[in-house]
Amino acid sequence: MTNQSLVKSKPFSAQTLENFLPTSTGIIMRGGSVKRATIGAVPVQSFITYNAGGTKKIWACDATTIRDVTSPASPTVAPAASVSGQTSGYYSYVNFTTSGDSYVVAVNGTDFLQLYSTTFDWSAVNGLGTYRLNFDAQTVNFPSSGTVTGGTSGATATIVKNVDNGATGSLLVQSITGTFVDNEIITGGGGSATANIPGGVVQISAAITGVATSALSHVWLYRNRLFFIEGGTMRARYLGIDSVTGALGSLNLSGIFQRGGSLLFGATWSLDAGDGIDDKCVFVTTEGEAAIFEGSNPAGATAAEWNLVGRYDLTDPLGKRGTMRAGGDLIVATKEGLVPISAAINKDAAALSLAAISRNIEPDWKREAARRLSLPWEIIKWPDMNYAIVSLPITSTGQESWAFVVNLETGAWCKFVGWATRCIELHDSRLYFGTNDGKVYEGEISGNDDGLPIYYTYVGNPDHMKSLGGLKTVHQARPTFLSATPYNPKISFSVNYSVQLPPAPAAADGGTADLWDSGLWDVAKWDQAQPVASVGGGQWISIGKTGYVMQPQLQITGFLNQRPVTEFVQLDVTFEAGAVVV
């Protein structure tokens, strides 16, 4: 908690809390991170995930490609690109199940909308329909661009993707002229195979018309309908109910907003904890204005079908993926803090920081927002771990590798130091983050950061020990831990508002973890139960510090082969108050 007077700090609060996660009973050591994939020496700009029908996938995106990093063969060798030739890697996406199939719909504002389904893999969707031309007996591989021609029919089509399974596969094509026939030789771009289309070429997606899909920069779901932002404008677009293709409707919001700029993102906001009849559609601009609509038919002619609730002021948002649902509320990362939409409707923008979820770390938040403004921030809520994590992208040489983390139950904050989170995503209840140097890591696993130690630091806020201005001497301290894994704590004190940390302690000997993919075959015991947590510490430690105000400090160096299970719950001290000499 860094937004309070140092003279009157709240009990049990911290001035520094790095890599310790606050809980309702104490502070626990965070887990480490393991490198899972490499996509090249370029930044991982965003993630895309798919979860439907028992299939779960995650892709990492750079400026030109989308790569499947669900289970790469090697964490150091880039997997083949699922999509290539892109011009931006910063995507907005949704998972959307219709009556026909389950899809990922992804847009980036510069390239055609990308549609994924297990039925046809990835496909670019624009003003043309996309078709699948199956083949077998392939003798030369086709490219993912160019023109394919039927040797017998003379039919032609534009190749948009080659789904190559060896001798068999399929071409995703558009702009078909003529009619391809079964068993004819098809060629193009140096490729050659035999058409395998006994039922003819199959349409896999219809066109999206109304505007080029390359103009769509953000996508979200509202009342079973896909909504989009047309990048750089004040126009929103939408498709029909239960549809991923078709004619785009248009909503021009130019007359609503007062500060200029353009629409940045949209989202759903609710007064309850789920999707219901009270859901509202929120549009947010680059200048921090929010317009809220209610109704289910944006093309409707009556207020019951589509109605403007109001326009409200936020402050500048920090990115279109910098939002989070908490219950039914929509939380937005802004320059002033992490602000609920519910607060914006009854508070002036100047007072929003008072209602921000990040109020307890307001100075830190504003400082980092000013320093890291050139790249978008992201937020991920992780219910299983009971916290939300905010990425702090590194925008210049020398910036720290940090992420802000908040306990969803208590609202207490900390920093995860050592995680260079350019982007973050939750997939299959596992946390992934991408870095500026093209690496994909899984977080909260193992007890070290991919072979590097983790430094855990707690510095309490100044404590006058019920004697404001009085001299006192702390003689001894006794920490109490609840732990099931090894740890080597160092307890110290700083005095008179001057924080001076001693060198970090040596890491505890963690031994070898019996974890899959870590333990040795025929040595590790896979079914061995985790040790039961027990109370540790209890020994008095000499301190010998004298001053007017005290700050307790705890340091641990982590280098375990398994995730630490250690909680710091209590610190007892013995001290002597000095007398006043008249």
Side-chain angles (χ1 to χ4, degrees):
M1 182 177 291
T2 58
N3 72 326
Q4 59 182 337
S5 167
L6 293 179
V7 179
K8 296 183 179 180
S9 301
K10 292 182 179 179
F12 311 112
S13 61
Q15 182 172 314
T16 300
L17 197 59
E18 296 180 353
N19 295 324
F20 280 113
L21 181 69
T23 69
S24 57
T25 55
I27 54 176
I28 60 174
M29 298 166 63
R30 73 159 170 88
S33 58
V34 174
K35 182 167 59 183
R36 293 303 191 196
T38 300
I39 67 170
V42 291
V44 183
Q45 296 186 18
S46 57
F47 289 106
I48 298 173
T49 66
Y50 176 83
N51 183 6
T55 299
K56 298 179 180 180
K57 287 181 172 291
I58 181 170
W59 295 268
C61 312
D62 61 34
T64 60
T65 65
I66 300 175
R67 299 176 188 268
D68 189 343
V69 293
T70 309
S71 53
S74 168
T76 59
V77 178
S82 301
V83 178
S84 58
Q86 302 295 92
T87 59
S88 172
Y90 185 46
Y91 288 87
S92 168
Y93 78 94
V94 294
N95 280 251
F96 187 35
T97 297
T98 70
S99 55
D101 206 345
S102 295
Y103 302 93
V104 165
V105 182
V107 296
N108 64 11
T110 62
D111 301 296
F112 289 137
L113 178 149
Q114 291 289 332
L115 194 64
Y116 174 84
S117 166
T118 54
T119 304
F120 55 79
D121 200 67
W122 287 97
S123 176
V125 180
N126 51 27
L128 305 169
T130 303
Y131 301 80
R132 183 171 61 238
L133 173 56
N134 294 330
F135 61 77
D136 55 21
Q138 179 178 236
T139 56
V140 182
N141 291 343
F142 286 94
S144 287
S145 61
T147 301
V148 60
T149 302
T152 301
S153 65
T156 62
T158 300
I159 303 171
V160 295
K161 185 177 179 65
N162 176 21
V163 183
D164 195 333
N165 298 316
T168 63
S170 58
L171 296 176
L172 303 188
V173 298
Q174 295 176 340
S175 303
I176 297 176
T177 301
T179 304
F180 290 94
V181 297
D182 191 30
N183 289 325
E184 68 174 333
I185 301 298
I186 55 175
T187 58
S192 179
T194 301
N196 181 18
I197 48 172
V201 176
V202 177
Q203 184 175 18
I204 59 173
S205 70
I208 293 180
T209 59
V211 70
T213 61
S214 57
L216 305 178
S217 61
H218 184 74
V219 59
W220 74 101
L221 280 172
Y222 174 68
R223 299 205 182 183
N224 203 29
R225 190 192 297 268
L226 288 171
F227 276 75
F228 303 89
I229 297 298
E230 186 178 336
T233 75
M234 284 291 186
R235 284 187 298 276
R237 301 281 182 166
Y238 58 91
L239 288 171
I241 291 175
D242 192 41
S243 178
V244 295
T245 56
L248 286 165
S250 178
L251 284 172
N252 191 339
L253 306 181
S254 299
I256 296 174
F257 299 108
Q258 301 172 5
R259 298 187 200 160
S262 60
L263 290 174
L264 180 62
F265 67 88
T268 299
W269 173 50
S270 178
L271 298 179
D272 57 30
D275 295 325
I277 59 174
D278 67 335
D279 284 0
K280 294 173 175 54
C281 195
V282 180
F283 302 87
V284 179
T285 73
T286 56
E287 306 307 303
E289 293 181 276
I292 300 176
F293 286 81
E294 61 185 2
S296 59
N297 181 13
T302 67
E305 294 176 299
W306 190 252
N307 179 49
L308 175 64
V309 176
R311 184 203 64 83
Y312 305 98
D313 290 328
L314 302 170
T315 55
D316 296 356
L318 295 176
K320 61 188 179 186
R321 291 170 62 115
T323 64
M324 177 183 74
R325 290 285 294 273
D329 213 343
L330 176 68
I331 314 297
V332 181
T334 73
K335 290 171 65 175
E336 295 297 315
L338 206 54
V339 177
I341 285 290
S342 59
I345 66 176
N346 54 30
K347 284 184 172 60
D348 184 84
L352 282 177
S353 63
L354 300 176
I357 294 173
S358 55
R359 171 67 174 165
N360 287 344
I361 58 165
E362 182 178 359
D364 304 79
W365 183 283
K366 289 184 176 180
R367 181 183 63 250
E368 296 308 317
R371 297 173 65 208
R372 304 173 192 251
L373 193 58
S374 60
L375 288 175
W377 294 24
E378 299 185 8
I379 307 171
I380 288 296
K381 181 176 67 173
W382 196 355
D384 290 350
M385 298 296 290
N386 198 33
Y387 70 66
I389 180 169
V390 182
S391 71
L392 298 181
I394 296 173
T395 58
S396 63
T397 303
Q399 279 187 346
E400 303 86 349
S401 301
W402 287 351
F404 285 142
V405 178
V406 59
N407 183 298
L408 295 174
E409 180 182 0
T410 66
W413 288 81
C414 67
K415 286 190 294 193
F416 281 5
V417 177
W419 287 6
T421 53
R422 171 66 181 265
C423 56
I424 50 179
E425 188 58 88
L426 193 65
H427 170 66
D428 197 18
S429 295
R430 298 159 66 183
L431 183 72
Y432 292 84
F433 63 92
T435 66
N436 281 342
D437 59 353
K439 306 297 191 298
V440 174
Y441 292 88
E442 181 181 352
E444 289 287 5
I445 186 170
S446 85
N448 61 81
D449 278 337
D450 201 42
L452 297 175
I454 305 172
Y455 296 99
Y456 302 86
T457 305
Y458 157 76
V459 178
N461 270 312
D463 189 348
H464 289 274
M465 307 176 84
K466 298 183 179 181
S467 176
L468 184 63
L471 194 67
K472 67 275 298 180
T473 299
V474 172
H475 294 294
Q476 294 179 308
R478 180 178 61 186
T480 301
F481 296 87
L482 188 65
S483 182
T485 51
Y487 62 99
N488 180 30
K490 176 180 281 190
I491 299 293
S492 61
F493 275 73
S494 286
V495 300
N496 300 341
Y497 305 106
S498 177
V499 174
Q500 296 180 347
L501 285 166
D509 182 5
T512 301
D514 294 347
L515 299 176
W516 187 261
D517 211 24
S518 297
L520 298 178
W521 186 262
D522 210 26
V523 174
K525 300 176 181 180
W526 310 119
D527 58 348
Q528 181 172 275
Q530 288 291 323
V532 177
S534 59
V535 176
Q539 302 297 318
W540 287 101
I541 301 167
S542 294
I543 301 298
K545 283 281 190 175
T546 300
Y548 297 97
V549 61
M550 300 290 176
Q551 291 181 256
Q553 300 169 157
L554 166 65
Q555 295 167 272
I556 298 176
T557 301
F559 200 79
L560 301 178
N561 290 324
Q562 63 187 97
R563 190 177 184 280
V565 184
T566 298
E567 182 174 18
F568 177 51
V569 296
Q570 182 174 304
L571 182 67
D572 299 315
V573 298
T574 62
F575 70 96
E576 180 180 2
V580 178
V581 178
V582 179

